[in-house]
Amino acid sequence: MMRPREGDGLRLEKCAFDVSAPHRLRWIRDLHENNIGIVDFTASAAELVIDAEFHLDIRERNPFDFVIIPEAAEYPFVYEHELSSELLPLSRNIYVRDVDAVRDWLEPFWHPGKRLSTLELLQGLNTAIFTTFRYRRREAKGVQSPAETLENKSGSCRDFATLFMEACRYLGLAARFVSGYMYSTEISGRMSMHGWAEIYLPGAGWIGFDPSWGILADSHYFPAAVSRHSEHAPPISGTFVGTSRAFVKTHVDLYVKKLDEVLPEYSPIEEEQPGLVFEKPTNLLPG
């Protein structure tokens, strides 16, 4: 699940994959409309290299350019019946054992009987995680539970997104995890896949919140996959046949750059801004 999801303001101009081992590649769309490339290997190989390059045409947009219907502009509110039925799986907490810890953390932001702007509440949670928790890049497999993140006061982007989603679900809001790419002038060199959250707001649709940066997702965010659970959207997953000793190491390189940073001679015609290029990623799976 590495291929960016096209949408309003995001058009995929180039999508190139190079897989070193003999294979067949086919594409499907899952229940979340993610583009999933399924690779069936047709022969043994001592090394697996996957190179992918994406060129995106991006239209700048204001992340606050949306309107929430009056009935949902203040919290608490409830989704109307038909919508609620569709969103029910995304509105239920996954980490049920952590509900008490999440409720206690929410107390300063909202408690029964309190009314406030829905967007103010969500952005309050978003910025609180960014300002009071320490970002820590974790190589360990899996996601921290919300209780672990609250106890450690630290976590990775997927840990922060998970805490944010579970808090929103406790409030009865539909939330989903987003795996994708981010462009920032503050980041140079090699990067990692990024993770953030989306909340469904009536009248506005899915709105992205990034608690790792305390901001709303704008035109510098490029989703690749969405899922109810943050562990269900890995960029690459699969199995290999062999002993544990045969699997030596993996290596990933990911770069997100503007085309004029990669190709100085590139001069787009009739474009307000250059697109973005992804050199993504090189996975070495020897054995």
Side-chain angles (χ1 to χ4, degrees):
M1 288 187 278
M2 295 155 47
R3 176 177 172 175
R5 292 165 58 106
E6 293 187 89
D8 182 41
L10 192 158
R11 181 164 56 90
L12 185 59
E13 292 188 330
K14 177 181 179 180
C15 177
F17 281 88
D18 183 19
V19 182
S20 63
H23 69 282
R24 291 189 299 268
L25 172 62
R26 53 193 171 92
W27 290 95
I28 65 168
R29 290 243 181 138
D30 68 5
L31 74 165
H32 297 293
E33 293 294 315
N34 296 317
N35 295 302
I36 300 181
I38 298 180
V39 183
D40 298 313
F41 296 102
T42 57
S44 299
E47 180 181 74
L48 172 61
V49 179
I50 301 175
D51 274 322
E53 183 178 343
F54 311 118
H55 289 202
L56 302 179
D57 179 58
I58 307 299
R59 186 185 70 191
E60 289 286 349
R61 63 180 178 83
N62 179 355
F64 291 94
D65 185 19
F66 60 85
V67 177
I68 305 174
I69 63 173
E71 294 82 357
E74 281 193 345
Y75 185 84
F77 72 89
V78 294
Y79 296 118
E80 60 91 14
H81 178 70
E82 184 174 346
L83 184 60
S84 177
S85 299
E86 296 287 342
L87 295 175
L88 184 60
L90 297 169
S91 306
R92 289 179 169 174
N93 285 101
I94 292 176
Y95 297 87
V96 293
R97 295 181 178 179
D98 293 3
V99 165
D100 290 344
V102 170
R103 180 199 59 214
D104 294 343
W105 179 70
L106 278 171
E107 177 67 23
F109 305 97
W110 181 85
H111 53 80
K114 183 177 182 179
R115 294 196 65 86
L116 73 164
S117 161
T118 300
L119 184 57
E120 179 186 344
L121 171 60
L122 292 174
Q123 187 58 352
L125 300 177
N126 198 36
T127 55
I129 295 174
F130 170 66
T131 56
T132 61
F133 291 74
R134 179 173 59 87
Y135 177 82
R136 182 167 60 92
R137 186 172 179 176
R138 293 192 307 106
E139 301 296 336
K141 182 180 180 181
V143 178
Q144 285 183 170
S145 71
E148 289 176 312
T149 300
L150 291 170
E151 181 180 357
N152 297 333
K153 289 293 184 181
S154 67
S156 66
C157 60
R158 60 187 187 270
D159 302 325
F160 292 165
T162 298
L163 172 60
F164 181 82
M165 291 190 301
E166 288 294 277
C168 290
R169 287 167 177 164
Y170 178 84
L171 297 172
L173 304 179
R176 66 185 186 182
F177 178 77
V178 187
S179 172
Y181 312 93
M182 178 187 180
Y183 174 79
S184 173
T185 56
E186 298 181 30
I187 302 176
S188 60
R190 193 169 65 183
M191 301 175 63
S192 300
M193 292 287 287
H194 192 45
W196 61 97
E198 287 184 341
I199 308 301
Y200 192 88
L201 299 176
W206 290 106
I207 302 299
F209 293 84
D210 183 2
S212 294
W213 291 75
I215 59 177
L216 271 67
D218 59 13
S219 49
H220 291 152
Y221 286 74
F222 321 112
V226 299
S227 176
R228 176 173 176 261
H229 200 307
S230 47
E231 290 190 356
H232 296 168
I236 298 176
S237 62
T239 58
F240 78 100
V241 178
T243 66
S244 58
R245 291 184 177 182
F247 193 86
V248 179
K249 66 178 180 179
T250 63
H251 178 75
V252 180
D253 285 325
L254 166 60
Y255 298 93
V256 184
K257 298 181 179 180
K258 288 186 176 182
L259 275 172
D260 56 4
E261 296 174 354
V262 180
L263 305 173
E265 73 280 5
Y266 179 76
S267 56
I269 300 175
E270 297 182 356
E271 290 185 8
E272 295 182 359
Q273 67 166 52
L276 299 174
V277 62
F278 295 86
E279 301 168 1
K280 164 73 180 106
T282 302
N283 258 24
L284 300 181
L285 310 178

